[in-house]
Amino acid sequence: MSNITKALRRGLSSGLPTVLAILAALILGGVIMVVLGYNPGEAYGELLRGAFVGAFNFGSTLERFTPLLLTGLAFTVSATAGVFNVGVEGQLYLGAFAATWVGLFVKGVPPFIHITLAILFAMVVGALWGAIPGALRAYYNANEICTTIMLNYVAILFTSYLVNRPFSGGTGAPETKTIASSAFLPWIMPPSRANIGLFIAIAAMIITYWIIHRTSFGYEIRAVGQNTSFSEYVGIKPKRTVLMAMMLSGAIAGLAGSIEILGINRRFVDSFSPGYGFDGIVVAALSGNNITVLPIFSFFLAVLKSGAAAMERFTGVPKELLGTIEAIFIILTASKVAFEIRRRRADEPIAGAGKPGEKGREAEVTVN
């Protein structure tokens, strides 16, 4: 059986519980609607119409799906190495501003080169910002959750200063001037703002999966994430690996920010993100940091966010109720993960209690 077939089978087996969790959350959400006096069938109908019917509606869903997929992917990469990059939001902001800078000040180049330069610069800036907490964690054992949260504030407030002061567009609004048209990512489903950034995000997911599961660097990331001591024993350098994983995570977050600028806003707008970095953490956590099922959770959350306004407008069901459905979904998924962890621990022998020569077996890392 080929490796591709194995990957597909693993993805399907992981995705089925996800689909069941989604259905259960929707059913429980419907029960809540009935208790509150709403018609769940009508509400979900308007939700689906608002998310899928028409080019604008479906395009808006894809528009939200793209950053959720990338920010979830960014967190997944770092978590695979055993570190938690809560600074995805800040890296997204700095990457977005880096892309804006290239869009504003690089002129006279073909669109392909202009777009490529903007995306690469955004990824470099995101990677460098991710390297700061990565280095602090690797070489000084600083808690990466604390440092990334603090750096989020630095990044967001710094870009806010830039857009309100030296890079203000002069319109009175907290935004820059419009970037050059040669840096625009073409829209694929007008009048929505869904753009070719969707395909860039999918390509990034495929490339990241290949890196994590088919390269020696990816093996090192997984080994360090599963057992740091064992990975160091076999010759892997955990500190360098943690730093590189955080840089890769930051680069993906920077990519997400660049797509928001080049394809959606086409200028930097203060507080442009509705929290995509934090939503991506939720998506990654719910997927169990499994890249193959990450798109399912990302798309589900995008559908909820895209169809919420239509549901509220036509049925009166407050869109905040969808937050309740999302919370139920999180609880169900977390319960499933907790049950699997408990079952796995019950099945595993106590470390060191096996036969001679078997000590350390729990540290083995699956290559494929």
Side-chain angles (χ1 to χ4, degrees):
M1 183 180 296
S2 67
N3 290 332
I4 296 178
T5 304
K6 291 180 180 178
L8 288 175
R9 290 188 62 181
R10 284 197 298 266
L12 289 174
S13 62
S14 300
L16 181 59
T18 300
V19 173
L20 294 177
I22 290 174
L23 292 176
L26 293 176
I27 292 172
L28 291 175
V31 172
I32 294 174
M33 291 182 191
V34 171
V35 172
L36 295 177
Y38 298 108
N39 185 331
E42 182 182 0
Y44 284 143
E46 292 298 337
L47 173 71
L48 293 176
R49 277 190 285 272
F52 292 103
V53 177
F56 177 80
N57 291 337
F58 186 56
S60 297
T61 301
L62 296 179
E63 175 187 329
R64 291 169 172 82
F65 168 72
T66 301
L68 290 173
L69 177 62
L70 286 174
T71 54
L73 183 64
F75 186 84
T76 295
V77 169
S78 65
T80 303
V83 290
F84 301 100
N85 182 13
V86 189
V88 172
E89 184 82 349
Q91 294 147 19
L92 179 145
Y93 266 83
L94 285 179
F97 197 88
T100 302
W101 188 89
V102 173
L104 288 173
F105 296 107
V106 175
K107 301 182 184 297
V109 294
F112 176 77
I113 295 178
H114 204 172
I115 291 171
T116 302
L117 287 175
I119 290 176
L120 289 178
F121 190 46
M123 294 180 69
V124 169
V125 170
L128 292 176
W129 196 248
I132 298 174
L136 292 174
R137 174 67 175 86
Y139 296 99
Y140 299 98
N141 202 30
N143 187 296
E144 74 276 9
I145 297 177
C146 293
T147 55
T148 50
I149 289 176
M150 290 188 290
L151 287 172
N152 274 339
Y153 286 104
V154 175
I156 294 172
L157 293 175
F158 178 61
T159 56
S160 179
Y161 162 75
L162 292 176
V163 74
N164 281 282
R165 299 292 183 179
F167 292 92
S168 173
T171 61
E175 61 186 24
T176 65
K177 295 179 180 179
T178 303
I179 62 176
S181 59
S182 56
F184 289 179
L185 288 176
W187 291 350
I188 59 175
M189 201 172 293
S192 76
R193 298 179 297 180
N195 56 81
I196 63 171
L198 169 67
F199 305 116
I200 297 174
I202 294 173
M205 183 193 71
I206 295 172
I207 292 171
T208 303
Y209 178 87
W210 178 79
I211 291 174
I212 297 297
H213 294 279
R214 294 293 181 268
T215 67
S216 58
F217 173 57
Y219 173 80
E220 292 176 0
I221 289 178
R222 290 182 288 119
V224 170
Q226 293 183 30
N227 193 307
T228 303
S229 300
F230 174 78
S231 62
E232 190 171 16
Y233 175 77
V234 297
I236 296 172
K237 298 179 179 179
K239 294 180 179 179
R240 185 197 66 180
T241 302
V242 166
L243 175 60
M244 296 299 293
M246 284 293 288
M247 292 183 69
L248 177 57
S249 176
I252 297 171
L255 171 62
S258 70
I259 291 175
E260 288 299 293
I261 298 302
L262 306 181
I264 305 297
N265 296 312
R266 294 177 170 175
R267 60 171 63 83
F268 189 94
V269 181
D270 195 12
S271 302
F272 71 92
S273 171
Y276 285 132
F278 302 109
D279 288 337
I281 294 173
V282 173
V283 168
L286 293 176
S287 69
N289 298 316
N290 186 338
I291 297 177
T292 58
V293 299
L294 197 63
I296 299 175
F297 287 92
S298 302
F299 191 73
F300 174 67
L301 195 57
V303 168
L304 291 183
K305 292 182 178 297
S306 181
M311 185 185 73
E312 184 176 46
R313 185 183 309 115
F314 295 108
T315 66
V317 178
K319 60 183 180 181
E320 288 76 14
L321 185 59
L322 291 180
T324 304
I325 296 175
E326 183 180 341
I328 295 172
F329 179 45
I330 293 172
I331 292 172
L332 290 173
T333 308
S335 300
K336 175 180 70 68
V337 173
F339 176 78
E340 291 177 352
I341 292 175
R342 183 176 180 181
R343 178 177 55 82
R344 192 179 302 119
R345 287 178 177 176
D347 292 340
E348 290 177 351
I350 299 175
K355 299 178 181 178
E358 289 186 341
K359 185 177 181 180
R361 178 178 294 177
E362 70 276 7
E364 293 179 358
V365 180
T366 304
V367 176
N368 289 327

